[in-house]
Every structure is written in structure tokens, then in C-alpha cells.
Amino acid sequence: MRLIVAAPLVAVIGFASLALTESARQTGRADDLRILAQVGAEAGDLAYRLQRERIAAADLLTYAAPEQQDAFGVEMAATDDATARYRRQRDLLPANANQSLLRRIDAALDGLAPLRTQVRTAAHASVSAMTFSYRIAIADLINLRENVSHGVVNAQLADGIRASAALSKTAEAIGQQQVAVLRAVVAGELTPAMQQDITAARTSYTESSLSFLALAPPDWNTWWEQAGTGKEALALQRMQDDVSRAQPGTPLRLETEAWVSTTQARAARLSDLRARVDAAVLDDVRAAHADQRRRAVAEAVGVLLALVLTAVVTWAVARQITRRLRRLRDAANAVAFQQLPAVVAQLQQPGSAAVDPDELARQQSTVALDASSDDEIGELGQAFSAVHRAAVRTAAGQAVMRANTADIFIHLSRREQRLVDAVLAQVDLVERDETDPDRLHQLYTLDNLATRMGRINASLLVLGGVGVGRVRQHDVPLQQVLQAALSQIEHYARIRLGMIDGDVAVAAKTVDEVVHLLAELMDNATTYSPPGSETWVSGRSLGDRVIIQISDEGVGLSPQRMDQLNELLAHPPAIDVAAVRAMGLVVVGHLAARLGATVQLRRGPRRGVLAEATLPAAMIRSLPPEEYLLAPGRLSRRAARTAGPPPPYQPRPEPIAGRPPAERTVPSAPVFRPAPTPPDRGDAPTEELLIFEQVNHWFHADVINGQDGRDGREWASPADDAWRTAARAHAPEVATTTTSGLPKRQPQRHLVPGGVTAPQQQQRSEYRDPAQVATAMAAYARGVAARRRTPVNLGNN
């Protein structure tokens, strides 16, 4: 609103400023003209006083009588008064006045004092020389009066100022005639130069008179005619005619006193006329100045009223516009931040594939966006309504496309999962009858590949918006969940389990999804780290949550890339090509959002990346000691496959140094045999290694009666001899001593049986591959676990 109001106000103020500036300039010019006119009037009066002082000085230089001295003194006093008035007005002149002319006038006025002294003291001095300085000062004052009219816009005022200046020239012409005739009378004859000066002065008088009459209005012409009538005018005319008829070289017969008095009377009348004209000019200038001031005030008031009116009208219009724009803005914000997100959220719900985009767009287009009016705001509302409908239609179409794509993922994943399950079933059938460790290793590799394929299918289900968990009845310890997760990745052998709290379990309904989430993080950690490095996994309970950390030894991530991945984990994108391309972390983000967990990537303690998954309290359960102490360290293969396959096979280490692989012996007897099903269990029979019976004789128990009458068993094994030998080493027996009294060592007396391998040439025992032994022990552990009545694995859920 401020912009709407400010724009026209700024424009009005700009134009008003221009008008007021011009009005102020005209007012200033009128004021300057008033001062110039006043200075011109004072300059005209000062010129008249200098003319009278000049004729008095010439008369004094001619006769030097006391009467002339007194007359000269009177004229000097009058000139000084006129000079003072002139100087007061001159100080008010603006800076743009003709300063050079003003300085010449000031210099001439300052030079009057020495000139007057010379007039008073110099007897019979040259009249022409003494009066020349007066003539220069008078000429500058008349020029000043003429310059006042320069720049005056009002033609009437300019003509009046020039007419007044013409009167001053007329009076100066009479003064020059006075001096020229007086010089001729004093000289005794009329010289040609004197006659020329007299003629020039009379010509100047005629021209100035005509100029005044041409510029003056009719009433001023009347004043001129009145000033030119009377006995003084007739007497002056006769004297001028006598002077004109005089011939050069003859004496000029003229009474000096009569000539001076007659010309002085004519000059006085012209001075009165000039004063009347100057007064009239000043009145006109003052009237013009007052009129200009009134005009400026009127313009200022008009501008102020225009500003106020513009502000009021603009504010009213702007208020109406802004009110409508605010309603449009509020409606647009409601659409952008409430309705459209609600529609998008609704479209993200299951079942969006059946939505009709056009119908949904019509339902959502009922929002009022001030589209009823026909002006530009109404058109804007209609345009925004069209944009809203297009956005809803596009969002619905995208949602339908995503839902269809998700359904495609789900159907393909389920079909693929059935094939994977069939492959795993066939692998199980082959594993039951396989006795060759190498082929069994290959089958385990196939089993791991199929398990990883199953995890990819589960990831597609997650991207499709379907859960991957099965219906379970029991919680699973955290250690088993981690083992099930690492069994679903390719580089499971590089996973090292660190500190794992055994008294915490994962809720039954979230086990499979947690296994899937951790498997994706482990796979990502092992994939983007050097092949020979290890990845450490730890899981600690903090009471209200469980924190699982997976730390690799890779090259790490840049801070920008880590921020991008954390944003991806916090806000996983919808299903698209990019989501499938970076499926691991996207699946982790979706699973974390479904579970209410948080996953964050940070820099590792030394290098690499540390992935931290935080499971909330709703997903964790506490285990009593009797349960987590009996929980096996590893899952059986069949049990782990339902919650995620365990490490199907540990990589076989290299043979013992110095022993070629060809010397390894492979058992020729069958490795597996069917185990009887417990009478209270309904599961299918599981496999049991024959080594179970072979190693079962390692342990035997002697039955002794306890104090409470029940049978007790004391376990014994062949290793007891080694323990007894080691106990005797604590207190060695001294059989012989050396000559110095020290006990003599007896070779291999305190050697623990089985502690040192006999040399190859002396001991030809059968070589056992560690990988084969590990495989046999894993099968043995599965057989033992299958006979327990307490369900501690995931295979029976």
C-alpha cells in the first residue's frame, strides 16, 4: 500500500516542486527587480545631484565669488545625501548584478572628495578638465538605470524603466549644454570644438526626448508636455537659438547667470518628471512583485491541496486495491500452504491410483480468489484459480503415475520374491545332501546371492509403500538382529561386531524392517570402503532409545555431500528414477520414517563415515537375564533367512604357511543327516552334522548325588591333564643343580599337552581346513539350537 500511495505522491510532488521552483524563481526575480528599480531611482536622483554640483563647480571655477562657493557647498551636501541613499540601496543588490559597473560607480563616488578639493582651491582651473570626472560618474549612473531593464519579462515594466533612463539622458544633455556654453562664454569666443560639443549635447537632448516619448504611456506624455511649457521653457528656447546662430570665432553674447538659472530650471522640471516616472515604475514593480508573491502563495496552496487530495484519493484507491490484494494473497497462501499441501498429502496416501485428476481439480477450484470483478485484480484471481486447478491436476496425475509405478514395483517385487524363495528352497534341498565342502561353499554363496536379491525385492516393496515385515509373536535380541542384517550383504566377512548390549530386543512387529534398514547401512559401509578394511558395528541402549553405530574406514564424504545425504535420509523423495538409482539410502530414509527412527551420517572418529541409527523406545524391549543369556550368538540359516539370512559362509582363510592347498584332506563320509523332530515341535526336521556325535564324546559326566538328593553332573574332558600340568608349573620341582647352585632346566618338563605343534617330520597328523571346521561347527550349533524347547531364533515365527 505504501508503494501505491507513494508513487502518485512522488509524481505530484515532483511536478509541484517544478512549479513551485519556477514560481519561487519568478518571485525572486520580482524582488530583485524591485531592488534594482529602487537603486535605479536613487541612481537617477544621484545623477541629477551630480549634474547640479557640476554646473556649480563650473560656475565657481569661472567667477570664484563667495556666492559661487556657497552654492557649491549646498550642492555638495545634496549630493552627499543622494550618495548615502544610493549606497544603502546598492548594498541590497543581488549577487548577479553588474558588478563591474557598480565598482566603477563606487570608484567615481570615492573620487569626489579630491575633485571637490581641487575645485575649491584651484583658481582659474580648466572647466572642461574639472567637469570631466563628473561626466564619467553621471554616465555610469545612467548606464546602471538602463541595465535595470535587462531581463525584465514584463514589457510594460521594461519600457517604463527605459523611459526613466531616457529622462536621465535628457537632463544630462542639458547639463552638458550648460558646461559647453559656459566654457565658450569664459573663453570669449566660440571655437569650432565648443560649437560641436554644444550641437552634440542638443542632439542628444532631442534623441533622448524622442526616446522617452516613444516609450512613455499617454499620461507620461502629458507630464512631458506640462514640463516643457512656461516662461522658463521659452527663455531656454531663445537662448538655445542664440547659441545655435553664433558663428565660430565670434564671441558668444549670452548672460551667464541667466543661462545657468534657465537651464537649472529646465533640469529641475525634468528631474521632477523623472521622479514621477520612477515612482510610477516602482509602483508597477511593487505591484508585479506583490502579484507574483500572491501567485506563488496561490500555487503553493494549490500544490498543497493537490497533494492532500492526491494522498486522500490515492489512499482510498490503494486501500481498496490492497484490501482486495490481501484477500487474494490470503487465498493464495491458503491454497499454497494449506489446501494444495493437503491435496498432495491426500494423494500420497494409498489408493491414489483411483483418483480422477480432472474431477479432483474441479472439486478444488471452488476457492474464492476475487475472480468476480472484471478489472485486472479479478483477472489475476481467475488466472490464479486456473493455476491452482492445473497444479492440482498435475499433482493428481503425478500421484496416479507414482501409485501405478509403485504398484508395478510391488507386483514385480512379489513375483521376484516368490522366485527367490523358490531358489532358496532348492538351495536348501541341495545343501541337505551335499558333503563336499567346496560345493557346499558354492551353495552358500548362491544362498547369499539369493538372500541379497530378496533384500533388493524388499527395497522395491519399501519404495512401493508396502512394509517388508512378517507377523511375528516374539521380540528378537539386538545381537541376533545385527547378525541377521549382516547376513544379507555381500561383504559380511568384513563386518565386526563391537559392543552389543544383550539385554535389549527389537519389537516383534518391527524386526524385519530394522534388519532391512541395518543391512542397507552395512552394505553401504562395506561397498564404499577399501576391500581390506573392516566395518565396526556397535549397539548400545540408553534407556529410552537404542543407538546403533556403523563405522567404516573409507575416504569419507565432503561436508556438502554429507549434508545432502542427511537431508535425503531426513526427507526421502517419492518414487522416481533418482530414488531407484540411489535406492539404499532412500530405502533407509523411508524405513526410518515408517519406524519413527532417525538415521544420520557423520564423520568417523578417524576417517570414513559413521552411520548412526537411533531406535526409539516404542521399538525396543528389555530382556530378562534368563532370556538374553541363553540367546545364541548366531542364528541358524533357516531361522536367519526369515529375518534376513545370517552369514552363510565365512571366507576360507589361506592354508597354513608351508602347507600347500593340495595337502588338505576332504572328509569322505556324509556331513549331514536328518535329525529327529522333537515330539512337542511341529517344524520340519532340520539338518544335524555327524560331527555332533564325533565331538559329543569329548564331554562326559560322572553322576554324583547332590546334597538335595538330586543327580548332579561333574564335567570332565581330555584337557584336564593340560590344566594339571599347568598347575604344576606354578611350583616347579628342582631335581638337579649346576655347580654354582642354580636349578638345572629339564626340557619339556612343564610343556602343556597340545600347546606346541610337533614338527612336521615327527608328526603326520591329518590337515583340517579352518573353513570346513567352521562350517561343521555352524551346523552343529544349528542342531543344538533345534533341540531346545525355548524359541530363541526366528525360524519358528
Side-chain angles (χ1 to χ4, degrees):
M1 180 176 179
R2 292 193 296 268
L3 182 59
I4 298 176
V5 175
L9 285 180
V10 169
V12 172
I13 290 174
F15 287 111
S17 299
L18 293 177
L20 290 178
T21 302
E22 182 62 26
S23 180
R25 185 181 297 110
Q26 293 295 335
T27 303
R29 289 178 180 176
D31 188 64
D32 294 342
L33 179 60
R34 180 182 59 83
I35 297 174
L36 286 172
Q38 186 67 35
V39 172
E42 297 296 336
D45 185 64
L46 179 59
Y48 172 68
R49 292 300 171 184
L50 288 175
Q51 291 170 2
R52 292 182 63 89
E53 182 178 343
R54 178 181 58 185
I55 192 61
D59 192 18
L60 177 62
L61 290 175
T62 302
Y63 297 103
E67 293 81 2
Q68 280 76 20
Q69 287 283 352
D70 295 339
F72 184 69
V74 172
E75 296 302 332
M76 284 194 305
T79 302
D80 291 339
D81 293 339
T83 302
R85 292 193 302 270
Y86 165 78
R87 289 185 183 275
R88 285 195 298 268
Q89 294 298 325
R90 183 245 186 272
D91 295 337
L92 299 178
L93 287 175
N96 58 354
N98 194 342
Q99 297 297 326
S100 61
L101 180 58
L102 292 174
R103 284 193 293 269
R104 288 202 306 269
I105 295 174
D106 293 339
L109 294 177
D110 293 337
L112 287 177
L115 180 61
R116 290 169 177 174
T117 303
Q118 291 181 7
V119 171
R120 285 178 177 273
T121 59
H124 303 290
S126 174
V127 176
S128 60
M130 290 298 177
T131 59
F132 182 76
S133 299
Y134 287 100
R135 183 176 180 179
I136 295 300
I138 294 170
D140 289 338
L141 289 172
I142 294 174
N143 289 333
L144 178 61
R145 287 175 58 82
E146 289 181 342
N147 290 334
V148 172
S149 62
H150 295 170
V152 178
V153 179
N154 193 331
Q156 183 178 356
L157 290 177
D159 291 343
I161 294 172
R162 286 195 290 269
S164 179
L167 284 177
S168 297
K169 287 185 178 181
T170 303
E172 174 61 13
I174 292 176
Q176 290 179 7
Q177 285 183 7
Q178 288 178 335
V179 175
V181 171
L182 191 60
R183 287 167 50 202
V185 172
V186 172
E189 64 176 347
L190 181 63
T191 62
M194 293 178 182
Q195 186 180 22
Q196 185 178 0
D197 291 341
I198 293 172
T199 303
R202 191 166 184 178
T203 303
S204 175
Y205 174 83
T206 303
E207 292 177 354
S208 301
S209 300
L210 294 176
S211 298
F212 171 77
L213 294 174
L215 296 171
D219 53 346
W220 292 5
N221 291 331
T222 303
W223 297 347
W224 170 266
E225 292 176 357
Q226 292 176 356
T229 60
K231 294 184 295 182
E232 294 85 358
L234 293 175
L236 179 60
Q237 184 67 35
R238 287 194 300 268
M239 291 181 182
Q240 288 178 345
D241 292 340
D242 293 340
V243 171
S244 299
R245 288 193 294 266
Q247 296 297 324
T250 61
L252 186 60
R253 303 297 179 179
L254 190 66
E255 185 178 354
T256 306
E257 183 177 356
W259 170 255
V260 171
S261 61
T262 302
T263 53
Q264 286 287 66
R266 179 58 179 169
R269 285 199 171 195
L270 291 177
S271 177
D272 293 338
L273 178 59
R274 179 194 50 78
R276 293 180 65 183
V277 171
D278 288 342
V281 171
L282 285 175
D283 291 339
D284 293 340
V285 170
R286 293 190 184 98
H289 179 257
D291 183 67
Q292 184 61 38
R293 291 187 61 182
R294 286 192 299 269
R295 187 180 300 110
V297 172
E299 289 181 359
V301 173
V303 169
L304 181 61
L305 291 177
L307 288 176
V308 174
L309 183 61
T310 302
V312 172
V313 174
T314 306
W315 179 80
V317 175
R319 185 178 181 183
Q320 182 180 4
I321 294 175
T322 53
R323 186 179 299 171
R324 296 176 61 190
L325 289 176
R326 285 173 181 171
R327 289 199 302 267
L328 182 60
R329 180 201 60 189
D330 295 338
N333 287 334
V335 169
F337 298 105
Q338 297 178 8
Q339 298 175 6
L340 192 58
V343 172
V344 174
Q346 180 183 357
L347 293 174
Q348 292 178 351
Q349 299 297 325
S352 58
V355 174
D356 186 1
D358 295 330
E359 181 64 25
L360 183 61
R362 284 192 297 269
Q363 293 176 359
Q364 295 295 325
S365 63
T366 59
V367 182
L369 291 176
D370 200 4
S372 59
S373 59
D374 297 332
D375 56 1
E376 288 77 4
I377 298 179
E379 294 176 356
L380 178 61
Q382 295 175 2
F384 192 85
S385 298
V387 171
H388 179 213
R389 289 193 298 271
V392 173
R393 187 183 303 108
T394 302
Q398 293 291 330
V400 171
M401 183 179 66
R402 287 195 300 269
N404 293 334
T405 305
D407 291 339
I408 293 174
F409 280 3
I410 293 172
H411 292 302
L412 291 178
S413 176
R414 286 175 176 173
R415 291 185 179 184
E416 188 70 20
Q417 187 62 41
R418 286 195 292 269
L419 295 177
V420 171
D421 292 340
V423 170
L424 289 174
Q426 293 298 325
V427 171
D428 286 342
L429 292 176
V430 176
E431 285 178 350
R432 291 179 182 179
D433 301 330
E434 183 59 51
T435 59
D436 188 354
D438 293 331
R439 287 195 295 270
L440 188 61
H441 172 238
Q442 295 176 356
L443 291 174
Y444 284 167
T445 303
L446 293 176
D447 190 293
N448 181 257
L449 290 174
T451 303
R452 285 156 48 198
M453 292 174 62
R455 177 168 61 85
I456 295 177
N457 292 330
S459 298
L460 294 178
L461 289 177
V462 172
L463 294 179
V466 180
V468 298
R470 298 177 176 86
V471 179
R472 300 186 180 277
Q473 302 297 329
H474 302 284
D475 304 330
V476 178
L478 179 61
Q479 184 176 7
Q480 295 186 23
V481 171
L482 294 174
Q483 292 173 347
L486 67 90
S487 67
Q488 295 186 6
I489 66 174
E490 178 182 4
H491 304 288
Y492 59 86
R494 290 163 49 195
I495 298 293
R496 297 293 180 264
L497 297 181
M499 185 68 69
I500 308 295
D501 289 345
D503 58 345
V504 63
V506 178
K509 63 181 180 179
T510 61
V511 168
D512 294 299
E513 292 178 339
V514 172
V515 169
H516 194 179
L517 184 147
L518 296 177
E520 293 290 348
L521 292 178
M522 292 180 185
D523 184 69
N524 194 68
T526 55
T527 302
Y528 294 100
S529 59
S533 63
E534 296 179 345
T535 299
W536 286 88
V537 180
S538 64
R540 305 304 303 269
S541 174
L542 299 181
D544 61 340
R545 62 190 182 278
V546 170
I547 296 179
I548 301 173
Q549 292 183 342
I550 301 173
S551 177
D552 60 57
E553 296 292 330
V555 296
L557 297 172
S558 63
Q560 294 80 7
R561 182 57 178 166
M562 189 169 293
D563 293 339
Q564 294 176 358
L565 295 180
N566 284 326
E567 180 66 20
L568 178 68
L569 292 171
H571 304 91
I575 181 172
D576 56 6
V577 177
V580 176
R581 185 180 296 114
M583 187 167 56
L585 292 181
V586 175
V587 170
V588 170
H590 281 287
L591 288 174
R594 288 170 57 89
L595 297 173
T598 58
V599 179
Q600 188 177 13
L601 302 180
R602 298 202 304 268
R603 294 184 59 185
R606 292 179 299 175
R607 61 178 181 175
V609 178
L610 186 145
E612 182 178 277
T614 302
L615 306 182
M619 296 174 52
I620 57 177
R621 301 288 187 271
S622 298
L623 291 178
E626 60 271 14
E627 292 190 14
Y628 72 78
L629 290 177
L630 294 177
R634 290 186 179 270
L635 302 174
S636 64
R637 286 186 63 251
R638 186 177 298 278
R641 186 177 298 149
T642 58
Y649 184 71
Q650 297 288 343
R652 290 180 293 179
E654 293 295 331
I656 301 175
R659 188 75 173 270
E663 296 182 5
R664 294 179 296 174
T665 60
V666 180
S668 59
V671 179
F672 297 97
R673 72 174 183 183
T677 303
D680 56 346
R681 301 288 291 265
D683 288 346
T686 185
E687 298 87 358
E688 182 179 275
L689 289 174
L690 295 179
I691 195 173
F692 175 75
E693 292 184 353
Q694 298 176 6
V695 302
N696 201 22
H697 72 277
W698 292 357
F699 306 95
H700 66 274
D702 296 332
V703 179
I704 59 175
N705 293 328
Q707 296 179 357
D708 55 357
R710 295 180 295 178
D711 292 342
R713 294 184 181 272
E714 180 179 359
W715 292 91
S717 68
D720 293 343
D721 294 337
W723 286 104
R724 285 190 291 271
T725 302
R728 288 196 304 268
H730 181 68
E733 296 179 0
V734 179
T736 58
T737 60
T738 61
T739 56
S740 61
L742 297 176
K744 185 177 291 184
R745 175 180 176 276
Q746 299 181 11
Q748 299 185 353
R749 178 178 179 84
H750 301 294
L751 184 65
V752 177
V756 178
T757 304
Q760 185 174 358
Q761 63 272 16
Q762 296 180 1
Q763 183 178 356
R764 290 292 182 179
S765 60
E766 182 181 9
Y767 170 76
R768 291 186 177 182
D769 191 347
Q772 297 177 359
V773 175
T775 303
M777 292 304 296
Y780 169 72
R782 290 197 302 272
V784 173
R787 286 170 172 75
R788 293 177 179 170
R789 295 182 179 274
T790 304
V792 295
N793 56 51
L794 303 178
N796 299 322
N797 293 340

